[in-house]
Amino acid sequence: MICSDFHPFTKIADILDLEQPTMDYFPTDIFEGEMAHARFFEEETRRQMPKCSYRKYTISEIINAIINSGFCLEKFDEHPAWTNDKIPGEFTAIAMKK
């Protein structure tokens, strides 16, 4: 399994300019918003896109979900944000099924 996604650190700051709400790191709230890449479309197309429900997980929730699903985590890398290379923006997890 290869999982690459936005780093949960983005919960507390819009460091990737995704136009998503910022929140505390640990809450489990579900919120409604645009899909992550909607901002790359023209405004007319963007208005026609349905809203999505989100739940932003913590790093430990992500890693534990991988382990609890029967995978053996082989590698976990954090990558710098596009806008600031001093803070995390994305991560990649590589795991093998046991």
Side-chain angles (χ1 to χ4, degrees):
M1 176 200 74
I2 299 172
C3 174
S4 185
D5 203 353
F6 300 118
H7 197 288
F9 185 79
T10 62
K11 289 171 79 168
I12 61 173
D14 190 18
I15 57 175
L16 300 177
D17 297 326
L18 296 177
E19 301 174 14
Q20 300 224 341
T22 57
M23 57 193 69
D24 294 337
Y25 185 75
F26 292 101
T28 59
D29 300 341
I30 295 174
F31 67 95
E32 186 177 89
E34 289 186 309
M35 60 182 212
H37 296 92
R39 65 191 170 89
F40 294 113
F41 291 88
E42 292 185 20
E43 196 58 39
E44 177 64 27
T45 303
R46 191 174 178 176
R47 278 194 298 274
Q48 295 175 24
M49 292 179 174
K51 299 291 184 192
C52 299
S53 294
Y54 291 95
R55 160 113 165 31
K56 294 188 175 185
Y57 297 89
T58 64
I59 284 290
S60 60
E61 288 175 315
I62 294 165
I63 291 173
N64 287 327
I66 292 168
I67 293 167
N68 293 332
S69 294
F71 286 92
C72 180
L73 188 62
E74 305 245 330
K75 189 171 185 178
F76 188 89
D77 291 319
E78 296 173 285
H79 312 290
W82 312 324
T83 55
N84 183 341
D85 63 3
K86 295 181 174 110
I87 53 179
E90 298 177 339
F91 72 89
T92 303
I94 300 174
M96 298 290 286
K97 195 69 167 175
K98 294 180 188 176

